[in-house]
Amino acid sequence: MGHKKDAPLRSDAQRNRERILEVAVAELTLCADAPLSAIAKKAGVGQGTFYRNFPNREALVLEIYRHEMQQVADAACELLDAHEPERALREWMDHLARFAMTKAGLADAIRQVTSAPGGPAKPEPTPVAAAGERLLRANEEAGTIRPGVTSDDFLLAIAGLWQLDPHGDWQSRAARLLDFVMDGLRAGAPGRR
């Protein structure tokens, strides 16, 4: 939906960029201060290529956050195409849990760049909210959840995900929490009376 770039990135350039983002997520999640040179080296790209894509740490961290958020948002459409609305919603919640853990791991890195004086503002999670809204409406139409749940309600209900320890046993705890939320969404659904 964003405006088109002047020229589409060549596929190898696109691959380099995605490789850098992939390595950067892993490295910065482990250590918020991971040096950019180490990230470039692990991604197998030269410093020139790295800095052409991400001129500084701020640009890299915010792009990771945006990229991860967009992946989660895009997954909503893919899941709705592939599954019944109820299953699509529950599987999308697992994507959200993984996103929350990435964000928790990156929280220090994000805080460092967004709290610097004159630093960039943290992007708002609007693509995620819009994706949640689409899934909730599909379920409401299918009669699988109670009517009237907004994406704000939903994001507040799952806010506990952001409290989990990314280095602990977050998968089983997230699954339990999300099952509770899903049970709550189903309560009072017209299709279940």
Side-chain angles (χ1 to χ4, degrees), residues 4 9 15 17 19-20 22 28 32 39 46 62 66 71 75-76 90 92 137 150 160 165-166 168 183-184 187 190:
K4 295 252 187 292
L9 285 175
R15 268 196 301 275
R17 188 177 176 80
R19 178 89 189 108
I20 292 168
E22 200 179 299
L28 291 169
I39 293 170
L62 290 172
R66 257 192 297 273
Q71 303 281 89
R90 182 61 188 81
W92 187 70
R137 297 297 65 86
T150 67
D165 175 5
D183 288 345

Side-chain angles (χ1 to χ4, degrees), residues 27-193:
E27 294 299 303
L28 291 169
T29 298
L30 289 171
C31 170
D33 300 318
L36 300 187
S37 55
I39 293 170
K41 195 171 176 185
K42 270 207 168 153
V45 300
Q47 300 277 343
T49 300
F50 184 92
Y51 286 107
R52 242 194 329 279
N53 279 289
F54 305 106
N56 53 42
R57 188 176 209 75
E58 287 80 359
L60 175 65
V61 170
L62 290 172
E63 182 56 28
I64 287 171
Y65 186 44
R66 257 192 297 273
H67 182 261
E68 295 285 305
M69 199 159 56
Q70 197 55 56
Q71 303 281 89
V72 172
D74 292 346
C77 294
E78 291 159 24
L79 288 165
L80 271 174
D81 286 345
H83 304 295
E84 293 300 306
E86 194 174 5
R87 182 166 165 210
L89 176 60
R90 182 61 188 81
E91 287 197 14
W92 187 70
M93 287 157 82
D94 290 331
H95 282 263
L96 265 179
R98 285 193 295 276
F99 172 56
M101 290 304 91
T102 298
K103 191 172 171 293
L106 286 173
D108 288 342
I110 291 170
R111 249 196 312 279
Q112 284 169 13
V113 305
T114 54
S115 61
K122 190 154 54 175
E124 291 301 310
T126 43
V128 171
E133 190 64 41
R134 189 173 304 130
L135 280 157
L136 291 168
R137 297 297 65 86
N139 275 278
E140 197 174 319
E141 281 162 32
T144 48
I145 64 169
R146 66 199 307 153
V149 179
T150 67
S151 66
D152 277 355
D153 296 335
F154 172 73
L155 291 171
L156 274 173
I158 61 162
L161 285 175
W162 274 262
Q163 310 304 314
L164 298 177
D165 175 5
H167 305 296
D169 174 27
W170 64 267
Q171 280 99 337
S172 63
R173 297 192 68 193
R176 254 197 333 273
L177 171 74
L178 295 175
D179 286 341
F180 291 152
V181 172
M182 200 69 201
D183 288 345
L185 289 170
R186 290 181 184 120
R192 295 183 188 279
R193 290 206 177 107

